[in-house]
Amino acid sequence: LSRLPLQVLTVPTAPYPDQRPGTSGLRKKVYVFQSRRNYLHNFIQSIFSSIDLRDRQGSTMVVGGDGRFFNPAAIEVIVQMAAANGVGRMIIGHHGILSTPAISCLIRKYKAIGGIVPTASHNPGGPDGDFGIKFNTANGGPAKEAVTSKIFQISRTIEEFAICPGLRVDLTTLGKQMFDLENKFKPFTVEIVDSVESYANLLRNIFDFAALKELLSGKNHIKIRIDAMHGVAGPYVRRIMCEELGCPVNSAINCVPLEDFGGQHPDPNPMYATDLVDSMKDGQYDFGAAFDGDGDRNMILGKRGFFVTPSDSVAVIADNIFCIPYFQHTGVRGFARSMPTSAALDRVAKATKIELYETPTGWKFFGNLMDAGMLSLCGEESFGTGGDHIREKDGLWAVLAWLSILATRKQSVEDILKDHWLKYGRNYFTRYDYENVDIDAACEMMEDLEIMISDKSFVKQRFAVEDKIYQVEKADNFEYTDPVDSTISRNQGLRIIFSDGSRIIYRLSGTGSDGATVRIYIDSYEKEQIFEDTQVMLAPLATIALKISQLHHRTGRSGPSLIT
């Protein structure tokens, strides 16, 4: 225990107008947090002030980030401010590191009032990269709209923050540290916990580790390649996949978390996970997977780099859900996907007579359904998949789910997927990202597009490209009424749905740190032609999507920054 009680200060400050959290917290360039006076402090105080003082007093909170640049400095400020704001106990990952799924696990395990996560997920790191702060609530999931709106309102009028500047925590030593604060009856406790153990234990109770160990290191084991992309997933991969399930250590690459992710973009898709994609090409590995910066996203590859779209991934897991022992015990309560995700999951839900929910983008919508006992498995096209064991998407969980299917079915990834398409037909899916577009041009384009598709004459319009004709059946701005609490989320993306079920979706995204990102999603179902090239099959719809929106002309772009 520190000898003299530590001083608690109230520091005057001035508000910033731009601290509105997006779908995954507040994300900005690192220099914004570093150079703007009290920028971090203001936002952290706004989080604490959004929680009722009676709930805060003596409560437990969890903190840990993805190890990116500015992570240790931010954690120090968060802990100093938590102590000054009446929090009684902080659970912190060793070295300040926790994956986003592990944070969710720990919040639930310790019955914490929430968690503060220093992360910018799949965005680049380092001094010139991005930094972010995300707030998760007591269910372990991302804060809902009502909470993030409250945080934003407080940040716009903030006049002071509370801090205990003399409080210094040693993040390198496991165990309890206690601090006496002036005018506080009880000491403030910091507990540095093993970053992996609680989460690993959760997974042991979900999957058949003996069967997975046999698959990965038994007599007829498969060869796998796992890329942690120098993000937070590295220690989890080493401990769970290598030490516990017997994968050779050299099958796990880029497993040391680096504050700049080795200069790479820690986003698990074919464009950025090039180390993995290249190493899979020659066919020596049967299965490949990559994770993002904070460990909640995943990409699945089969032999020779056979790519599984996230939309197909969740559909295959749904169709094989009882390969996972957890679901044999709990049963299956429902499936869900975000609206832009392909309708592949819908076909499994229909065949298995399990309820399907179509939600806006953002894991918090899934969390609400899970809390109400209505949802077991869900996924997003943006490389997020998860179950109801926590309230975040979970990269490692998705990989173990796939390996459980391989262990049960004793087939390759490609054969499993091709069997799935033969059984259900195939949803061809692609997404075009136009990044760092001028925000005014993007907003004007979306406004004009909405006016155009909302006109009654737009429905029944026909678009011909080559020998294909598409007729508009429905067009709207997606609106979601939550079946649990009836809250309505409007303006969630412009949808054009054609009579054959094909869809074009336009969204402005909220997870970047500068400029706007315009996303176009294209989803088209085929019953017969199921083994064709995705971009070839979707080319007519892509032409229509660009023609309707005039996106290249309106944004000055000649093509997308990224195609997935």
Side-chain angles (χ1 to χ4, degrees):
L1 209 60
S2 55
R3 297 213 175 97
L4 281 171
L6 295 165
Q7 203 180 8
V8 176
L9 300 180
T10 302
V11 182
T13 190
Y16 290 94
D18 64 345
Q19 294 194 327
R20 182 193 290 278
T23 46
S24 293
L26 180 70
R27 287 186 192 163
K28 302 285 177 190
K29 289 289 178 198
V30 168
Y31 69 76
V32 174
F33 285 95
Q34 283 184 315
S35 63
R36 294 192 186 165
R37 186 176 171 81
N38 300 332
Y39 194 83
L40 174 66
H41 300 70
N42 280 18
F43 189 68
I44 300 300
Q45 185 60 56
S46 301
I47 291 174
F48 287 127
S49 299
S50 75
I51 306 163
D52 193 291
L53 185 60
R54 287 166 301 187
D55 294 330
R56 258 189 352 240
Q57 226 46 48
S59 65
T60 298
M61 282 193 94
V62 179
V63 174
D66 59 14
R68 67 179 55 234
F69 183 81
F70 200 58
N71 195 49
I75 287 178
E76 183 165 82
V77 168
I78 292 164
V79 175
Q80 291 172 346
M81 293 184 66
N85 277 279
V87 173
R89 176 170 71 149
M90 294 294 271
I91 309 286
I92 308 178
H94 199 199
H95 301 292
I97 283 191
L98 281 172
S99 72
T100 292
I103 286 252
S104 187
C105 163
L106 289 171
I107 291 171
R108 295 168 71 80
K109 176 182 172 175
Y110 287 102
K111 298 188 169 40
I113 58 162
I116 297 179
V117 196
T119 178
S121 187
H122 54 290
N123 293 19
D128 300 321
D130 294 351
F131 188 74
I133 296 286
K134 184 174 158 198
F135 178 52
N136 283 23
T137 47
N139 74 340
K144 291 185 199 170
E145 192 79 38
V147 177
T148 54
S149 294
K150 191 175 176 185
I151 292 168
F152 178 51
Q153 293 309 327
I154 293 166
S155 77
R156 290 173 65 182
T157 55
I158 189 169
E159 292 177 355
E160 59 185 32
F161 61 84
I163 192 164
C164 188
L167 199 155
R168 295 275 183 272
V169 170
D170 174 11
L171 297 175
T172 64
T173 309
L174 292 170
K176 282 187 182 173
Q177 300 166 40
M178 300 179 88
F179 303 88
D180 262 336
L181 310 185
E182 60 180 20
N183 305 328
K184 301 271 193 236
F185 300 116
K186 283 184 176 170
F188 172 71
T189 307
V190 171
E191 215 169 307
I192 309 295
V193 298
D194 183 294
S195 305
V196 181
E197 193 45 46
S198 293
Y199 171 75
N201 206 38
L202 184 64
L203 295 185
R204 285 182 202 113
N205 291 319
I206 293 171
F207 299 102
D208 181 345
F209 269 35
L212 292 174
K213 189 166 186 173
E214 183 61 29
L215 175 77
L216 298 173
S217 55
K219 200 164 66 149
N220 299 313
H221 68 88
I222 62 168
K223 286 189 76 178
I224 73 169
R225 186 83 161 167
I226 306 286
D227 187 351
M229 299 187 82
H230 289 303
V232 79
Y236 296 83
V237 169
R238 281 193 168 158
R239 184 92 67 87
I240 296 165
M241 304 287 300
C242 300
E243 289 176 28
E244 193 144 348
L245 297 176
C247 278
V249 174
N250 64 2
S251 63
I253 57 171
N254 301 325
C255 279
V256 177
L258 298 175
E259 60 180 24
D260 66 345
F261 307 111
Q264 303 301 306
H265 197 136
D267 194 354
N269 64 52
M271 182 171 167
Y272 294 126
T274 46
D275 282 0
L276 178 70
V277 171
D278 292 346
S279 67
M280 294 294 292
K281 278 178 182 160
D282 65 5
Q284 64 168 310
Y285 299 105
D286 303 296
F287 178 90
F291 305 109
D292 69 337
D294 65 329
D296 61 353
R297 296 181 185 219
N298 75 94
M299 174 175 74
I300 304 292
L301 298 177
K303 204 173 185 122
R304 294 193 172 76
F306 179 85
F307 174 59
V308 180
T309 70
S311 300
D312 276 341
S313 179
V314 70
V316 169
I317 295 171
D319 196 40
N320 295 276
I321 198 157
F322 295 117
C323 294
I324 302 167
Y326 174 86
F327 294 112
Q328 296 170 17
H329 300 305
T330 63
V332 181
R333 300 185 179 106
F335 296 139
R337 62 169 174 83
S338 64
M339 181 273 286
T341 302
S342 96
L345 182 62
D346 307 34
R347 300 180 196 288
V348 179
K350 191 176 176 187
T352 53
K353 297 187 167 55
I354 289 169
E355 191 71 42
L356 177 105
Y357 303 94
E358 183 182 30
T359 71
T361 298
W363 214 258
K364 58 194 169 201
F365 297 103
F366 297 143
N368 221 28
L369 293 166
M370 287 174 180
D371 288 347
M374 296 162 70
L375 177 60
S376 297
L377 171 74
C378 51
E380 294 186 330
E381 48 67 41
S382 51
F383 296 85
T385 325
D388 62 351
H389 61 297
I390 53 171
R391 297 295 178 267
E392 286 280 10
K393 46 188 172 264
D394 190 343
L396 198 49
W397 178 94
V399 166
L400 295 184
W402 263 93
L403 291 172
S404 300
I405 295 166
L406 295 186
T408 305
R409 291 189 46 173
K410 299 181 170 41
Q411 284 177 286
S412 70
V413 171
E414 186 169 348
D415 286 346
I416 287 168
L417 208 63
K418 287 183 171 174
D419 280 358
H420 187 88
W421 295 336
L422 285 165
K423 181 176 175 182
Y424 290 106
R426 180 177 178 187
N427 278 78
Y428 286 95
F429 177 86
T430 192
R431 180 178 107 186
Y432 292 2
D433 288 14
Y434 293 80
E435 294 171 336
N436 298 330
V437 172
D438 178 77
I439 199 147
D440 294 333
C443 290
E444 276 180 31
M445 183 196 82
M446 292 293 282
E447 283 164 17
D448 290 349
L449 193 52
E450 183 169 7
I451 290 166
M452 178 178 156
I453 70 167
S454 302
D455 193 297
K456 283 192 172 62
S457 66
F458 187 74
V459 175
K460 298 281 182 277
Q461 261 196 48
R462 295 156 80 102
F463 295 89
V465 179
E466 293 153 16
D467 58 339
K468 299 207 76 154
I469 295 171
Y470 295 90
Q471 184 166 2
V472 178
E473 189 167 281
K474 183 181 177 181
D476 65 7
N477 192 334
F478 181 59
E479 185 174 292
Y480 175 69
T481 302
D482 195 303
V484 180
D485 55 23
S486 300
T487 50
I488 298 171
S489 302
R490 296 187 172 87
N491 303 316
Q492 295 298 317
L494 303 179
R495 301 190 293 179
I496 300 170
I497 301 168
F498 297 96
S499 54
D500 70 343
S502 297
R503 301 183 304 153
I504 296 172
I505 291 146
Y506 303 88
R507 275 186 71 242
L508 270 181
S509 171
T511 58
S513 65
D514 55 359
T517 297
V518 179
R519 296 205 162 107
I520 300 179
Y521 311 80
I522 301 169
D523 175 22
S524 184
Y525 177 70
E526 289 283 343
K527 185 77 187 126
E528 306 299 334
Q529 290 178 280
I530 55 176
F531 300 130
E532 306 303 320
D533 178 83
T534 296
Q535 296 304 326
V536 171
M537 292 298 285
L538 296 179
L541 282 163
T543 303
I544 294 167
L546 293 171
K547 183 182 171 186
I548 291 172
S549 62
Q550 296 186 303
L551 188 140
H552 290 172
H553 170 68
R554 299 291 297 262
T555 62
R557 293 294 174 87
S558 57
S561 342
L562 179 66
I563 298 177
T564 45

